[in-house]
């Protein structure tokens, strides 16, 4: 055997040597390192540089040549941002490089202006051009240098996260020492052929490249290796989980006959879009296999996901199984219930609504009906997956608008007495590609890209200043008089107490009938009010008894009132892009043109960019990508959950390409069943150690 894998059971692991034993590290320095969570030599080796400073290519201004990649080092001595005559935003700066000046400019990157400051020391890399006798860099890459770097020698220098009491130079010395004495002792858990195949360097070489690079390429190769491990292990975990589902989880095989198909289709007064047809084909195929379906349907707001859900649920019922439709809010549960009631008006399917709001006695009745199998179809909030709710023969769970259900949360409801139900997740929040490959990497994916015919793009405009605001309300009153309805969305329930702070929903609700909406009926819904009252208000709005509804984002998901075609979003800059898109989706449903007004007095570059994107595009997928790039993974889903992605160093935006690459590698490893061969045993062990619990993976599975 040619395996170079150190026996993991050996007791005295040299990497556990306390840092104090490194030369030049006494107790005082060890205490400082401890603040960075560095206790052992191994910790020190894994204290990775956040980037690297390439001073090997720094040129004097007089040495620059046209068109080649080069860097200069200098101090910001002039800074300017303006709009060009063609309407582009332009940031320019002048860099003083030891008395010689170079210019740099960026178009349509308003945030660059905020990132730069006078007197800053910068390293700038790009391909310069000479214009009017002066060197110019267009869209150069930047690195911010500290005073310390002013003095540093040349070469390729890693830069570490530090803490008080230790400086870059010292950290570099220590990591270099650790590399020299210990890097070769770090066990390699990939076998040589795999390294070659995946184009990654071995672990010793990687650590050397990260901490003691002689070229930037060496550093990058080191980073690639560690990022590879981070992402690859996660993807192998997801792939193992999929396999476990497919091989172990017996699910009811549900065949949909032509007769059943026709009977379900007759319930809808329209023919289905191609996207809906495709989704139904995918779902039908999954249901028939005898293994549990785990599918994610991504479709923009208004694409008609409810139809797909109803189709799948009725197919399960027709096959003799129970179906459950789960929603994140009562509001949405009630609405789906109403839809079902009208679709199934002539049907004998036994159905029930189960939310926290219905009385205890009714709840018990529903529980009993589900347990005996009397109830075939249940709609509800998460109340339907509580432990005390038992199903006689649950065959399918449809989870609507639950994009916040990540890998970990979904693991919670897998097993149902001997078999697993089919699971269909639906979301209108377009999920950025990279997030989809991680949070939902274990699901099959159906993308629905088309909308039902006749939909009109919502006209969206930013409203700035009192004059525009007046015109906006004039327009709205006109449309209300014509019979349309309006949502007014505010980011908060309570207003601020300080002068100048935003108004809350309550206050707006009190004031509007006296001001802009004199003579119109105004209602209010928000998450903190009594559920009964909220449902009544929604019903009144749906019936048209209320013309304007003041709301928080409780109306964000799923609410469907086709006659409501107007929306005013207050303090619009406080919402994320995807959230704005969701909100706007509420008014793109009927036969009338929708209008959305984004009221915002904020003129920060970020909010201008964001609201501008809303005006420009109505493609949810495109908006999701922009949002993701601006705000990172946590916020793209409308909730801070950065901690919930169990990655160590990878960054989904920056490392997207590697994510795709590791995913393909992981899938091929499972497809060829190579993962079960002895040479991959150490890898499998690592994956189980890291993700076994999170992903509910069985050892040996
Ligand atoms: P979402 O995908 O946002 O959940 P819904 O299921 O609420 O969308 O559907 C939005 C609206 O479009 C509903 O009023 C629904 O009746 C209508 N609809 C759905 N599918 C079609 C179709 N194929 N043709 C016409 N209208 C449709
Ligand atoms: Mg919906």
């Amino acid at each position: 055997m040619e395996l170079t894998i150190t026996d993991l059971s050996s007791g005295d692991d040299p990497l556990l040597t306390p840092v104090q034993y490194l030369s030049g590290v006494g107790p005082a320095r060890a205490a400082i390192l401890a603040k960075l969570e560095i206790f052992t030599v191994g910790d020190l080796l894994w204290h990775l540089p956040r980037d690297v400073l390439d001073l090997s290519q720094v040129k004097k201004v007089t040495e620059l040549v046209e068109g080649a990649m080069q860097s200069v080092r200098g101090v910001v001595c002039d800074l300017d941002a303006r709009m060009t005559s063609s309407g582009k935003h332009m940031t320019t700066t002048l860099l003083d490089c030891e008395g010689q000046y170079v210019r740099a400019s960026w178009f349509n990157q308003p945030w660059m202006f905020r990132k730069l400051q006078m007197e800053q020391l910068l390293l700038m890399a790009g391909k310069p051009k000479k214009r009017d006798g002066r060197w110019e860099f267009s869209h150069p890459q930047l690195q911010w240098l500290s005073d310390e770097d002013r003095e540093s020698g040349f070469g390729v220098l890693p830069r570490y996260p530090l803490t008080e009491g230790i400086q870059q130079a010292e950290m570099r010395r220590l990591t270099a020492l650790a590399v020299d004495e210990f890097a070769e002792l770090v066990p390699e858990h990939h076998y040589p052929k795999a390294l070659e195949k995946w184009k990654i360097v071995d672990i010793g070489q990687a650590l050397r490249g990260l901490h003691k690079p002689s070229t930037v390429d060496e550093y990058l190769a080191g980073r690639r290796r560690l990022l590879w491990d981070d992402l690859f292990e996660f993807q192998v975990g997801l792939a193992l989980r999929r396999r476990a589902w497919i091989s172990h989880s017996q699910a009811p095989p549900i065949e949909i006959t032509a007769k059943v198909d026709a009977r379900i289709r007759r319930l809808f007064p329209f023919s289905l879009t191609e996207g809906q047809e495709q989704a139904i084909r995918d779902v039908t195929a999954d249901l028939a296999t005898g293994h549990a379906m785990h599918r994610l349907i991504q479709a923009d707001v208004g694409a008609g996901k409810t139809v797909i859900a109803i189709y799948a649920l009725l197919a399960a019922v027709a096959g003799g199984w129970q179906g459950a439709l789960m929603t994140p809010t009562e509001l949405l549960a009630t609405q789906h219930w109403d839809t079902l009631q009208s679709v199934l008006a002539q049907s004998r399917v036994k159905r029930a609504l189960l939310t926290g709001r219905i009385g205890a006695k009714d709840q018990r009745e529903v529980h009993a009906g589900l347990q005996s199998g009397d109830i075939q179809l249940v709609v509800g909030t998460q109340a339907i997956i509580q432990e005390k709710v038992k199903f006689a023969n649950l065959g399918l769970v449809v989870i609507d608008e639950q994009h916040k259900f990540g890998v970990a949360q979904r693991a919670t409801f897998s097993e149902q007495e001997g078999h697993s139900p089919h699971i269909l997740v639906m979301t209108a929040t377009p999920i950025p590609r990279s997030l989809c490959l991680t949070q939902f990497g274990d699901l099959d994916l159906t993308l629905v890209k088309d909308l039902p015919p006749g939909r009109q793009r919502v006209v969206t405009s930013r409203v700035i200043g009192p004059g525009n605001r007046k015109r906006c309300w004039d327009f709205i009153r006109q449309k209300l008089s014509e019979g349309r309805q309006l949502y007014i969305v505010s980011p908060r329930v309570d207003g601020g107490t300080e002068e100048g702070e935003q108004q809350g929903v309550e206050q707006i609700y009190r004031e509007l009938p006296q001001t802009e909406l004199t003579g119109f009926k105004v209602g209010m819904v928000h998450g903190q009010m009594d559920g009964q009252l909220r449902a009544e208000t929604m019903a009144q709005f749906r019936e048209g008894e209320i013309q304007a509804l003041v709301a928080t984002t409780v109306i964000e998901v799923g609410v469907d009132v086709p006659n409501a075609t107007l929306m005013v979003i207050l303090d619009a800059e406080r919402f994320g892009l995807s959230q704005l898109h969701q909100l706007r989706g509420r008014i793109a449903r009927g036969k009338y043109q929708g209008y959305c007004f984004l009221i915002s007095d904020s003129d920060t570059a970020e909010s201008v960019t964001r609201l501008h994107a809303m005006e420009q595009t109505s493609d949810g997928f495109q908006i999701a990508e922009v949002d993701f790039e601006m705000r990172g993974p946590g916020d793209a889903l409308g909730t801070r959950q950065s901690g919930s992605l169990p990655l160590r160093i990878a960054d989904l935006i920056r490392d997207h390409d590697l994510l795709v690459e590791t995913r393909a590698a992981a899938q091929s490893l499972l497809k060829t069943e190579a993962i079960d061969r002895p040479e991959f045993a150490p890898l499998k062990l690592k994956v189980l150690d890291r993700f076994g619990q999170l992903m509910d993976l069985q050892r040996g599975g």
Side-chain angles (χ1 to χ4, degrees):
M1 273 226 305
E2 248 213 3
L3 299 185
T4 48
I5 293 156
T6 317
D7 182 7
L8 293 173
S9 66
S10 86
D12 40 4
D13 182 347
L15 298 174
L16 295 178
T17 311
V19 271
Q20 220 171 307
Y21 294 107
L22 276 180
S23 78
V25 183
R29 183 131 289 160
I32 293 169
L33 289 173
K35 282 195 275 179
L36 292 164
E37 311 225 341
I38 300 171
F39 306 102
T40 65
V41 168
D43 296 337
L44 188 57
L45 283 175
W46 256 264
H47 187 65
L48 303 179
R50 50 184 161 76
D51 62 5
V52 73
L53 190 58
D54 183 8
L55 297 181
S56 62
Q57 300 298 317
V58 176
K59 300 278 191 253
K60 290 209 163 67
V61 173
T62 49
E63 296 169 345
L64 289 173
V65 294
E66 186 114 358
M69 193 71 183
Q70 299 148 90
S71 346
V72 291
R73 178 160 62 169
V75 173
V76 177
C77 63
D78 189 26
L79 188 57
D80 181 42
R82 62 192 171 87
M83 300 303 278
T84 64
S85 51
S86 56
K88 284 188 186 165
H89 185 281
M90 183 165 91
T91 308
T92 55
T93 180
L94 202 61
L95 217 60
D96 177 351
C97 309
E98 298 169 356
Q100 309 265 357
Y101 296 89
V102 298
R103 248 166 67 92
S105 55
W106 294 266
F107 283 102
N108 282 342
Q109 299 188 356
W111 54 90
M112 283 310 303
F113 182 68
R114 274 184 304 146
K115 283 190 176 178
L116 291 166
Q117 264 168 32
M118 295 293 284
E119 309 287 323
Q120 264 171 344
L121 180 65
L122 292 180
L123 189 69
M124 198 159 78
K127 295 179 180 173
K129 278 203 181 111
K130 203 156 199 176
R131 201 171 289 160
D132 302 329
R134 172 164 292 164
W135 286 106
E136 274 192 33
F137 286 78
S138 169
H139 291 232
Q141 294 164 6
L142 292 185
Q143 273 187 320
W144 280 259
L145 304 183
S146 66
D147 277 345
E148 223 181 300
D149 299 321
R150 214 184 280 267
E151 310 304 330
S152 59
F154 290 91
V156 182
L157 306 174
R159 293 199 297 183
Y160 297 91
L162 297 174
T163 188
E164 214 180 302
I166 185 159
Q167 306 218 321
Q168 287 296 355
E170 177 62 8
M171 188 60 96
R172 281 180 200 135
R173 191 185 71 77
L174 292 178
T175 52
L177 212 61
V179 165
D180 286 343
E181 289 183 31
F182 293 91
E184 307 313 323
L185 302 176
V186 177
E188 173 59 66
H189 65 280
H190 296 311
Y191 77 119
K193 275 218 189 90
L195 296 178
E196 224 169 276
K197 182 160 181 209
W198 299 328
K199 302 191 182 62
I200 52 178
V201 296
D202 72 52
I203 191 69
Q205 208 178 331
L207 290 167
R208 190 169 288 281
L210 282 160
H211 296 298
K212 289 186 71 181
S214 37
T215 63
V216 174
D217 283 347
E218 274 181 29
Y219 169 80
L220 291 176
R223 265 196 48 161
R224 176 182 160 86
R225 164 62 201 258
L226 293 201
L227 283 170
W228 176 280
D229 284 355
D230 193 16
L231 289 166
F232 183 60
E233 284 162 17
F234 186 52
Q235 289 296 335
V236 170
L238 289 174
L240 283 171
R241 169 146 126 151
R242 263 186 68 85
R243 180 170 77 173
W245 272 343
I246 292 170
S247 59
H248 301 316
S249 66
Q250 290 308 306
I254 299 173
E255 297 276 355
I256 295 146
T257 61
K259 200 168 145 206
V260 169
D261 175 76
R263 240 173 42 213
I264 300 177
R265 283 169 189 271
R266 261 207 304 280
L267 300 172
F268 304 110
F270 36 69
S271 50
L272 305 190
T273 65
E274 181 42 42
Q276 287 169 323
E277 293 288 0
Q278 181 58 51
I280 286 174
R281 277 196 294 275
D282 288 349
V283 169
T284 310
D286 291 347
L287 289 176
T289 59
H291 305 300
M293 160 169 74
H294 287 95
R295 183 170 292 280
L296 171 68
I297 295 185
Q298 266 198 77
D300 214 338
V301 237
K305 288 182 296 296
T306 317
V307 169
I308 303 166
I310 293 178
Y311 186 101
L313 289 164
L314 292 178
V317 169
W321 297 87
Q322 290 173 302
L325 173 55
M326 192 170 104
T327 66
T329 64
E330 275 180 28
L331 201 61
L332 198 50
T334 315
Q335 181 180 304
H336 279 326
W337 176 245
D338 293 345
T339 306
L340 259 182
Q341 287 295 64
S342 82
V343 167
L344 296 180
Q346 311 296 323
S347 150
R348 286 189 308 268
V349 171
K350 298 236 186 55
R351 50 199 183 265
L353 174 67
L354 182 60
T355 66
R357 194 160 56 80
I358 67 173
K361 179 159 165 286
D362 290 343
Q363 276 192 30
R364 274 198 302 276
E365 236 164 69
V366 175
H367 289 172
L370 289 172
Q371 188 156 16
S372 68
D374 264 357
I375 296 176
Q376 297 164 286
L377 194 53
V378 63
V379 180
T381 52
Q382 289 187 26
I384 57 181
I385 55 159
Q386 294 165 55
E387 214 155 306
K388 62 180 176 211
V389 183
K390 298 268 185 296
F391 288 84
N393 55 351
L394 181 59
L396 167 70
V397 182
V398 180
I399 305 173
D400 193 21
E401 303 293 1
Q402 289 280 49
H403 51 267
K404 290 165 194 171
F405 259 53
V407 173
Q409 291 93 324
R410 259 178 289 110
T412 55
F413 65 119
S414 34
E415 280 289 297
Q416 280 283 328
E417 316 268 317
H419 74 270
S420 300
H422 296 282
I423 293 177
L424 184 60
V425 180
M426 307 198 303
T427 178
T429 301
I431 300 167
R433 286 158 304 164
S434 357
L435 214 48
C436 203
L437 296 183
T438 47
Q439 283 285 41
F440 300 95
D442 51 347
L443 302 182
D444 292 314
L445 180 64
T446 300
L447 280 182
V448 175
K449 289 221 155 180
D450 48 0
L451 296 175
R455 284 294 161 74
Q456 309 191 34
R457 231 187 101 153
V458 172
V459 175
T460 304
S461 25
R462 273 164 65 207
V463 180
I464 312 160
N468 277 330
R469 214 171 277 206
K470 178 171 178 307
R471 272 193 296 281
C472 157
W473 284 110
D474 284 346
F475 179 86
I476 286 171
R477 278 190 296 270
Q478 170 66 31
K479 289 287 171 193
L480 289 176
S481 313
E482 289 169 15
R484 304 289 76 74
Q485 287 169 286
L486 162 73
Y487 295 104
I488 302 133
V489 185
S490 160
R492 48 202 294 172
V493 177
D494 297 313
T497 44
E498 311 259 316
E499 189 156 357
E501 273 203 286
Q502 300 87 359
Q503 294 184 315
V505 172
E506 306 252 7
Q507 196 180 353
I508 296 161
Y509 168 65
R510 278 194 306 275
E511 286 175 7
L512 271 183
Q514 266 105 59
T515 54
E516 274 88 1
L517 294 181
T518 315
F520 296 101
K521 285 234 172 61
V522 182
M524 166 176 73
V525 291
H526 59 74
Q528 291 169 24
M529 73 198 265
D530 172 67
Q532 176 92 33
L533 184 61
R534 194 166 69 205
E536 278 165 18
T537 311
M538 271 321 287
Q540 284 176 325
F541 187 63
R542 200 167 299 131
E543 299 302 317
E545 291 161 30
I546 288 175
Q547 289 156 294
L549 190 67
V550 183
T552 53
T553 50
V554 292
I555 62 154
E556 175 185 342
V557 284
V559 170
D560 186 21
V561 180
N563 190 47
T565 56
L566 302 162
M567 179 172 285
V568 170
I569 303 180
L570 302 168
D571 303 311
E573 77 283 353
R574 297 178 43 116
F575 295 97
L577 265 181
S578 293
Q579 219 178 357
L580 288 172
H581 179 68
Q582 282 275 319
L583 285 167
R584 180 171 63 178
R586 300 305 111 223
I587 55 168
R589 334 220 98 209
K591 54 180 187 283
Y592 299 104
Q593 174 66 52
Y595 297 92
C596 178
F597 299 96
L598 306 171
I599 300 195
S600 166
D601 290 328
S602 162
D603 55 1
T604 67
E606 192 184 323
S607 52
V608 171
T609 311
R610 198 186 300 161
L611 299 186
H612 190 66
M614 284 298 291
E615 286 180 309
Q616 292 303 306
T617 171
S618 56
D619 177 345
F621 292 94
Q622 205 177 325
I623 285 179
E625 297 295 335
V626 176
D627 204 20
F628 189 58
E629 288 188 10
M630 289 186 68
R631 309 206 302 163
D635 273 355
L637 295 184
T639 166
R640 286 221 163 264
Q641 51 171 212
S642 349
S644 74
L645 270 184
L647 297 175
R648 291 186 183 132
I649 49 171
D651 174 310
L652 293 184
I653 298 169
R654 190 192 59 199
D655 306 322
H656 177 81
D657 292 349
L658 196 59
L659 172 62
V660 173
E661 211 182 317
T662 52
R663 181 172 173 79
Q667 284 176 343
S668 122
L669 210 55
L670 266 96
K671 203 156 155 211
T672 57
E673 294 182 1
I675 186 72
D676 301 319
R677 294 209 301 262
E679 62 265 33
F680 286 106
L683 169 68
K684 211 168 167 185
L685 220 79
K686 275 200 102 173
V687 172
L688 287 174
D689 268 353
R690 215 176 133 192
F691 300 115
Q693 202 175 11
L694 174 80
M695 296 186 185
D696 200 19
L697 294 170
Q698 311 290 316
R699 281 185 187 263

